[in-house]
Amino acid sequence: MSFNIVTTVGVVSSVAVYYFYFSGRFTVSLTVLIAYAIFYSESNEKHKEGNAAHPITPVKKEKKACCCSGKKEGEKKKSGSGSCCSGKKNGSGGGGCCSTKKLIDVDQNEIPQEDDSMTIDFTTAFLEKKSKKVKKVPKIFSAAKPDSVAPASPKQKEIEPTEPAQDNFIRSALTISNETMLNSQIYVFYSSLQGSGERCAKIVHETLTAMPELAHQPKLLNLDELNDIDEYFVDVPCENALYVLVVPSYDVDCPLDYFLQTLEENFNDHRIDGFPLRKLVGYCVLGLGDSESWPEKFCYQAKNTDHWIARLGGRRVFPVGEVCMKTDGVNKVTEWANLLAETLKDDEPIIYEYDETCDIEEDAGADYASDGSDDEGLADVEDLAGKEATSKKNSNSMETKQMVSKDSPTYRNLTKQGYRIVGSHSGVKICRWTKNELRGKGSCYKKSLFNIASSRCMELTPSLACSSKCVFCWRHGTNPVSKSWRWETDDPEYILENALKSHYAMIKQMRGVPGVIADRFTNAFKVGHCALSLVGEPIMYPHINRFVELLHEKEITSFLVCNAQHPEALENIGKVTQLYVSIDAPTRDELKKVDRPLYKDFWERMLQCLDILRTKQSHQRTVFRLTLVKGFNIGNISSYADLVQRGQPCFIEVKGATYSGSSDGNGNPLTMQNIPYYEECTTFVKKFTEELQRRGLNYEVAAEHAHSNCILIANTKFKIDDEWYTHIDFAKFFENLNSGKNFTYMDYMSKTPEWALFGNGGFAPGNTRVYRKDKKMKNKENLNVATENTVETSAEVSVNA
């Protein structure tokens, strides 16, 4: 066959050359070549048929060139071998097997098929630092949408493939942490109103503490006592932190609402890293509730806590626990804690899965409102995107409810402390000075400083909630806290009418007390002054201006106290008799330590309030109120002077803190060691006045009430012909107010009596001062007197004998 081909090629070539040489046509040559090609193809087909009975098995080959027969090049082929290369694949004759690549000795049927779905390494989104475990990280079995995954780290970009994402996928993944859970520092957080939350948290804490495998001792923290929530839920305290939260659910306002509000605000705050809690090793939530009485809101606050921590980047390491405290709750908490302890020993990858159809409104007991729209609805629990959508719902996300409902622990605590709750957010109370003046035992410092009779003064607040948690607060943190108004709102007419009824009811109870003066008791039923302070932050009440107008219509003077944290409300406040601003510390750090404000920009807010006093509210009779607490805010006089220079108030009222008991459990760490003596206050006031005068500011010490440890520094505008005019002429105030003309604090001042001036004590005449002695001292004195009488009697008996 080879001979015939060679002979044919030679003959055809010779004919073609001869033809072209003698000017033959090109078409004739082309015809001959085509005929030859057809002949060659038929010969090749016969060669393949000859080798069909000898299939070729692929084996490992060396790098040398080889033929499909498996013999080295140069060896003689057996008859029928023919040409080994073919353009077909998987043919019956063995197909084309020649290649420049090395063959693999495996069965073709066992070769794994390539998955069309995209594979992405999900776990690096949770890692803050490189770890040796990254090599062992399992990958996502299906891809997530590009906008639903946190930004990839450089390490992740190296691992991720470049295939496009597929539409059909299951949104799940396996993740592991960058730290082993047994090596983590566990923080057990809890919130509690009546003690059940604290007891359950201690069970969880004790269970985890008993684990010998843990490298660090778990820590127990009260969410309600945290000075700054962001210290734990924006800035993680350590790199290996793991959070366990024991969260009860209440149908009343409680400090836990503020915690949830803070988490939501942090999520929507563009100044904060999008996912600050991804630095955690993990977190888990145990919910406590009452499934019998409140089935629709069973553990809803625990679910909301889990929701927002996940939105902030937290990695759940254990399912949300839901325990009904009415049905064997303690044992269920113990069981949950034991199972958690066992889970912490296992560092295997954790399934991370979520469902697009999941709605937080259904899971959270309808605590978060939804308008039903697709583009503004709350996203999935673990969906780490969608900040812009949820930020639109920030103002309406928390359910509107009563601040203090009658069945709440807050209501019981406040009424136990002597408050009369008016409506759902207001309160009224008579203080001990009102009772004292009714019995002729003296009035409070407002009498000597400003001429306010305590027996005709009603202490009231239209907002029991406050935006600070001051260490010297009398209520020890039992009242609600919030940065903004988020409750049902009562009408100002309703509040004033019922507040007067409650005040008069409490005055009426004094009719049988020994020593009550009849004239003062009668006059007490015509309130002449209203101190808008008591507890909480009155200026937070949305209708505070209308409420003050109602007071003035009844010829009741208004003394409004605010904590310098609400500049917008302060700027819009109408005419009041006297406007107080609490300046509890001279520097940012000290103010945070003393007031423990909720706002992050608390210092800037206070400075803004001082500017408002100096400018827009300069017509008001203004007072800086300084409450001195030893060890907290009594040292930096120069910084206090800076604030006075900025705000330029009419008066500076310096008062030593009143000791109302210590309660570490409610965030009040004060002891009697923190209460300054009168001599310490006078020393501070003298140095303070000297510093103000050195700066060219016209302030002098004017009046005092030594019994209350209170001293007044006044602007020299109120010193006319070398006599002080710090008192208020109330008749002139209402006369100017009713005239409709503009007037200032200089138009209704009155002369300060001699007994109220600094150095004279400030105790009003017509009263009898009673000095209280310690019971132990009284008993000791009585015992000494009794002993002396016994000795004298014995001596007399001896003489007579």
Side-chain angles (χ1 to χ4, degrees):
M1 185 68 182
S2 301
F3 176 78
N4 293 336
I5 293 175
V6 174
T7 304
T8 303
V9 173
V11 172
V12 173
S13 299
S14 301
V15 173
V17 172
Y18 179 82
Y19 179 82
F20 283 114
Y21 182 79
F22 291 98
S23 302
R25 293 183 178 274
F26 174 75
T27 54
V28 176
S29 301
L30 182 60
T31 301
V32 174
L33 291 176
I34 291 174
Y36 167 73
I38 294 173
F39 173 76
Y40 178 79
S41 177
E42 292 178 353
S43 301
N44 192 32
E45 288 294 333
K46 293 179 180 180
H47 169 69
K48 290 181 178 180
E49 292 175 359
N51 292 334
H54 302 281
I56 302 172
T57 302
V59 294
K60 294 183 178 181
K61 293 292 181 179
E62 299 179 357
K63 293 185 179 180
K64 295 181 180 181
C66 65
C67 188
C68 298
S69 63
K71 295 182 179 182
K72 295 182 180 180
E73 187 179 9
E75 292 185 2
K76 293 182 179 182
K77 299 179 178 61
K78 296 181 181 180
S79 61
S81 63
S83 178
C84 65
C85 291
S86 171
K88 293 184 179 182
K89 294 180 179 180
N90 301 327
S92 60
C97 61
C98 292
S99 173
T100 56
K101 296 182 180 180
K102 187 176 183 180
L103 296 177
I104 303 176
D105 190 13
V106 294
D107 187 355
Q108 188 175 359
N109 296 328
E110 295 180 0
I111 298 177
Q113 298 297 322
E114 183 179 0
D115 190 0
D116 292 335
S117 62
M118 179 175 139
T119 303
I120 301 175
D121 187 352
F122 186 88
T123 58
T124 52
F126 296 93
L127 302 180
E128 286 295 311
K129 59 182 183 179
K130 293 183 178 179
S131 175
K132 295 181 180 180
K133 289 193 173 184
V134 174
K135 297 180 180 179
K136 299 181 181 179
V137 171
K139 299 181 179 180
I140 287 183
F141 297 120
S142 51
K145 292 182 179 179
D147 60 347
S148 65
V149 181
S153 62
K155 182 70 178 176
Q156 184 178 355
K157 292 180 180 179
E158 296 177 3
I159 301 174
E160 290 183 357
T162 58
E163 289 87 345
Q166 303 297 323
D167 293 334
N168 299 324
F169 56 84
I170 302 172
R171 305 180 72 173
S172 63
L174 296 179
T175 66
I176 62 173
S177 63
N178 58 334
E179 292 285 348
T180 58
M181 288 188 284
L182 290 176
N183 289 332
S184 61
Q185 174 62 66
I186 299 176
Y187 292 84
V188 181
F189 296 94
Y190 71 92
S191 178
S192 184
L193 282 181
Q194 297 178 307
S196 61
E198 182 178 3
R199 289 192 296 271
C200 293
K202 288 181 178 179
I203 293 174
V204 175
H205 179 261
E206 291 171 359
T207 302
L208 298 178
T209 303
M211 294 178 60
E213 299 88 352
L214 286 180
H216 305 282
Q217 189 82 359
K219 297 182 179 181
L220 184 65
L221 298 174
N222 190 344
L223 284 172
D224 307 335
E225 297 178 8
L226 297 182
N227 293 336
D228 188 358
I229 293 177
D230 290 350
E231 290 182 0
Y232 294 91
F233 294 91
V234 172
D235 301 322
V236 177
C238 58
E239 293 182 355
N240 61 335
L242 189 150
Y243 290 174
V244 179
L245 297 97
V246 180
V247 181
S249 293
Y250 302 103
D251 193 45
V252 297
D253 186 83
C254 60
L256 191 58
D257 290 325
Y258 168 66
F259 169 70
L260 290 170
Q261 183 184 28
T262 302
L263 293 182
E264 181 180 1
E265 290 176 353
N266 289 343
F267 177 79
N268 293 298
D269 193 341
H270 67 278
R271 298 169 297 178
I272 297 177
D273 175 26
F275 314 107
L277 297 185
R278 64 184 173 183
K279 295 175 284 187
L280 291 175
V281 173
Y283 80 95
C284 59
V285 180
L286 172 61
L288 311 176
D290 183 357
S291 60
E292 296 180 2
S293 303
W294 305 98
E296 69 281 0
K297 288 191 174 182
F298 178 56
C299 292
Y300 79 100
Q301 287 182 312
K303 296 174 184 176
N304 291 342
T305 301
D306 174 78
H307 168 78
W308 287 115
I309 293 180
R311 296 294 292 275
L312 290 168
R315 169 180 172 271
R316 188 184 303 103
V317 297
F318 200 69
V320 179
E322 298 180 27
V323 175
C324 177
M325 297 305 295
K326 279 194 172 181
T327 55
D328 199 21
V330 174
N331 289 335
K332 291 181 180 179
V333 170
T334 304
E335 181 181 354
W336 185 89
N338 290 331
L339 188 56
L340 172 63
E342 289 298 321
T343 304
L344 294 180
K345 301 176 184 178
D346 185 4
D347 285 320
E348 289 297 319
I350 297 172
I351 295 178
Y352 179 92
E353 183 174 359
Y354 56 97
D355 184 2
E356 286 187 351
T357 62
C358 179
D359 191 344
I360 186 62
E361 184 178 1
E362 296 176 358
D363 293 339
D367 185 56
Y368 290 84
S370 175
D371 57 5
S373 60
D374 293 336
D375 57 339
E376 292 185 1
L378 286 176
D380 302 313
V381 172
E382 282 82 15
D383 185 5
L384 300 183
K387 272 195 173 186
E388 295 78 5
T390 54
S391 62
K392 297 178 182 178
K393 301 175 67 62
N394 186 29
S395 59
N396 298 323
S397 61
M398 298 301 292
E399 180 186 4
T400 302
K401 53 188 174 183
Q402 292 184 345
M403 181 187 295
V404 181
S405 60
K406 291 185 178 181
D407 58 348
S408 67
T410 304
Y411 182 93
R412 291 192 291 271
N413 289 334
L414 291 175
T415 52
K416 185 177 180 180
Q417 295 168 9
Y419 285 84
R420 292 290 182 94
I421 307 302
V422 179
S424 63
H425 55 73
S426 305
V428 65
K429 186 178 187 291
I430 59 172
C431 68
R432 69 182 183 92
W433 288 111
T434 299
K435 299 174 183 179
N436 280 352
E437 194 180 52
L438 287 173
R439 291 180 290 176
K441 294 184 178 181
S443 187
C444 77
Y445 68 91
K446 291 191 287 290
K447 175 68 175 178
S448 59
L449 272 52
F450 307 119
N451 194 30
I452 300 173
S454 296
S455 59
R456 297 193 60 201
C457 180
M458 176 176 64
E459 284 197 272
L460 178 146
T461 178
S463 171
L464 290 165
C466 190
S467 55
S468 296
K469 300 183 289 184
C470 303
V471 296
F472 52 80
C473 181
W474 294 351
R475 303 286 70 83
H476 293 180
T478 54
N479 57 306
V481 292
S482 179
K483 293 188 287 188
S484 58
W485 190 267
R486 52 183 175 85
W487 300 277
E488 294 180 4
T489 306
D490 298 330
D491 294 332
E493 292 83 0
Y494 171 85
I495 296 174
L496 181 56
E497 178 183 355
N498 287 277
L500 288 171
K501 288 181 180 179
S502 297
H503 177 77
Y504 292 147
M506 288 185 285
I507 292 294
K508 192 178 295 185
Q509 294 174 352
M510 294 291 296
R511 65 184 182 274
V513 176
V516 172
I517 301 173
D519 291 344
R520 296 184 182 182
F521 181 76
T522 302
N523 291 333
F525 286 94
K526 181 173 174 49
V527 170
H529 318 288
C530 181
L532 292 164
S533 57
L534 195 60
V535 70
E537 180 60 17
I539 206 169
M540 286 178 64
Y541 177 54
H543 307 303
I544 185 63
N545 279 334
R546 175 57 184 158
F547 187 82
V548 172
E549 290 174 359
L550 292 175
L551 289 174
H552 293 166
E553 290 175 5
K554 293 181 177 292
E555 292 192 351
I556 300 175
T557 59
S558 54
F559 297 85
L560 178 62
V561 182
C562 65
N563 60 4
Q565 289 296 297
H566 302 273
E568 300 84 0
L570 181 62
E571 186 175 359
N572 297 323
I573 199 72
K575 189 68 177 180
V576 295
T577 309
Q578 188 157 281
L579 180 61
Y580 291 80
V581 177
S582 296
I583 308 297
D584 296 327
T587 64
R588 179 191 295 269
D589 293 339
E590 289 176 318
L591 185 63
K592 183 177 181 180
K593 184 179 179 181
V594 175
D595 278 5
R596 299 186 296 174
L598 304 185
Y599 285 104
K600 299 174 185 176
D601 56 342
F602 61 92
W603 183 252
E604 290 74 16
R605 285 176 170 270
M606 189 184 75
L607 296 181
Q608 187 177 351
C609 287
L610 301 188
D611 294 336
I612 291 173
L613 291 186
R614 190 187 68 254
T615 55
K616 188 168 183 177
Q617 298 292 356
S618 59
H619 62 92
Q620 303 272 23
R621 182 181 169 103
T622 56
V623 182
F624 273 14
R625 187 174 189 177
L626 277 62
T627 302
L628 301 184
V629 185
K630 288 170 64 176
F632 285 86
N633 63 353
I634 203 171
N636 199 334
I637 293 177
S638 178
S639 296
Y640 273 119
D642 293 337
L643 300 180
V644 173
Q645 191 169 3
R646 183 162 187 161
Q648 298 178 14
C650 299
F651 305 98
I652 306 169
E653 181 183 291
V654 181
K655 185 178 183 302
T658 301
Y659 182 69
S660 56
S662 179
S663 177
D664 291 334
N666 287 314
N668 182 0
L670 298 187
T671 65
M672 282 301 297
Q673 302 299 323
N674 300 113
I675 309 303
Y677 289 99
Y678 172 75
E679 292 77 10
E680 294 174 301
C681 290
T682 55
T683 301
F684 175 87
V685 166
K686 291 177 181 179
K687 293 181 179 180
F688 189 16
T689 307
E690 291 175 1
E691 177 62 22
L692 294 175
Q693 294 173 352
R694 187 187 66 80
R695 299 187 180 202
L697 301 175
N698 299 319
Y699 289 93
E700 294 180 7
V701 183
E704 70 171 343
H705 187 252
H707 193 116
S708 299
N709 205 0
C710 185
I711 304 170
L712 183 68
I713 302 173
N715 193 300
T716 53
K717 293 179 182 179
F718 295 89
K719 193 174 186 180
I720 302 173
D721 297 332
D722 205 29
E723 290 184 327
W724 284 107
Y725 285 76
T726 65
H727 278 207
I728 300 173
D729 189 329
F730 303 113
K732 284 186 178 181
F733 172 78
F734 287 112
E735 180 182 346
N736 292 323
L737 186 66
N738 295 330
S739 67
K741 299 179 181 179
N742 294 329
F743 64 101
T744 66
Y745 49 82
M746 299 297 293
D747 298 322
Y748 58 96
M749 59 183 183
S750 178
K751 184 179 178 180
T752 308
E754 185 73 19
W755 57 267
L757 297 177
F758 180 70
N760 295 333
F763 192 80
N767 295 286
T768 303
R769 183 164 184 180
V770 178
Y771 292 90
R772 287 187 174 184
K773 291 186 177 181
D774 186 66
K775 291 182 179 181
K776 292 183 179 180
M777 291 296 297
K778 278 188 175 181
N779 293 335
K780 187 175 181 179
E781 291 177 0
N782 294 335
L783 179 62
N784 291 338
V785 171
T787 302
E788 292 174 359
N789 293 337
T790 302
V791 172
E792 291 176 358
T793 303
S794 300
E796 292 177 359
V797 171
S798 299
V799 171
N800 294 333

